[in-house]
Amino acid sequence: MNQRYRKTVIAGNWKMNKTPAEARALIEELKASVSRVKWCEIVLCVPFVDIPAALKATKGFRASIGAQNMHYEKSGAYTGEISAQMLAELGVKYVIIGHSERRQYFAETDVTVNKKIHAALDAGLRPIVCVGESLQQREQGVTLEFIRQQVKIALGGVEPSAVKRIIIAYEPIWAIGTGKTATADQAEEVCGWIRDCIRELYGARIARAVTIQYGGSMNAGNAAELLSKLDVDGGLIGGASLKAPDFAAIINAANQ
Ligand code: PGA
């Protein structure tokens, strides 16, 4: 973290978990467990149907609500889809874009990710854009080049003035839901590299202001070490965000 230049953002990615009633209960438990949130922004990326309940339950608590996906068109014949405007009108502030599960199971590509980023920014949402290599790519030594491509295509056509509103989440696919966390040095290497890529595209002043998260089996035990790295500006947390004491411990680690 380097809180002089950029905000630390701790975001929970609930994935397809929790009904609206369960969402309410988890947020109440979280509110009771979090002690300080002065130094970081908390985001809860909940299933679409939980959004109204989550917004209500977080009133008076310093947490924003995010969605986990959206369509890039404003409206139209896209059965089952949700637009950025629909989310914004509800009071949603963030949206995860290009999570590896969406890339793997729902055929998202770098090109659709780029379209979604534009649509999200146009609607006033802050995109949390996921990038990350597979185990095979890491073993082949092509991680950094692959990430550079993902970042470059994702940011295509984004105005310099809008870049600071984007959060990049570095999520190595081999670390997601596996209990296999990247070491703090591995996380720092790639998060720093992502900042280098942004610097190449937009210059140093903008690059140092962008929040870059790590995600992939971040938990109460390893968060402090990961967050101690200068280029790791927060976390995108799956499993551990579903347990209030664990998520609260991660938030507290970001407030040291
Ligand atoms: P995990 O998920 O923390 O359960 O590994 C992270 C994510 O998929 O965003």
Side-chain angles (χ1 to χ4, degrees), residues 13 15 96 99-101 130 171 175-179 215-219 236-241:
N13 173 12
K15 309 193 180 186
I96 298 174
H99 190 279
S100 64
E101 286 150 18
C130 302
E171 296 210 309
I176 296 176
T178 56
S217 301
M218 193 188 254
N219 58 42
L236 182 56
I237 298 117
S241 73

Side-chain angles (χ1 to χ4, degrees), residues 59-218:
K59 275 224 170 83
F61 179 53
R62 281 195 33 198
S64 303
I65 298 305
Q68 300 170 14
N69 179 37
M70 47 163 267
H71 198 276
Y72 51 78
E73 293 291 352
K74 284 193 168 72
S75 61
Y78 301 101
T79 302
E81 292 293 318
I82 303 280
S83 75
Q85 283 78 7
M86 293 171 185
L87 296 171
E89 193 179 307
L90 278 183
V92 168
K93 296 277 188 278
Y94 292 80
V95 59
I96 298 174
I97 291 178
H99 190 279
S100 64
E101 286 150 18
R102 299 229 38 108
R103 294 180 192 251
Q104 185 183 348
Y105 305 128
F106 302 97
E108 294 215 2
T109 64
D110 289 335
V111 173
T112 58
V113 165
N114 174 253
K115 287 185 182 179
K116 289 183 181 196
I117 291 172
H118 282 280
L121 291 169
D122 287 350
L125 299 176
R126 290 193 68 184
I128 300 175
V129 182
C130 302
V131 297
E133 82 286 3
S134 65
L135 186 59
Q136 197 188 15
Q137 287 167 321
R138 178 155 283 266
E139 285 171 352
Q140 287 170 346
V142 297
T143 297
L144 297 184
E145 208 31 60
F146 178 71
I147 301 277
R148 184 217 287 273
Q149 271 306 102
Q150 283 191 318
V151 170
K152 226 171 146 180
I153 299 172
L155 296 179
V158 174
E159 294 294 327
S161 59
V163 178
K164 281 193 275 187
R165 296 184 39 229
I166 298 176
I167 294 172
I168 311 263
Y170 166 53
E171 296 210 309
I173 297 169
W174 49 270
I176 296 176
T178 56
K180 228 172 143 184
T181 320
T183 64
D185 286 338
Q186 284 173 325
E188 174 69 0
E189 182 194 17
V190 182
C191 290
W193 171 256
I194 292 169
R195 200 174 309 286
D196 289 346
C197 296
I198 299 172
R199 188 178 300 120
E200 231 173 69
L201 295 166
Y202 294 98
R205 200 173 49 83
I206 289 177
R208 76 175 180 217
V210 174
T211 294
I212 301 174
Q213 298 172 319
Y214 168 78
S217 301
M218 193 188 254

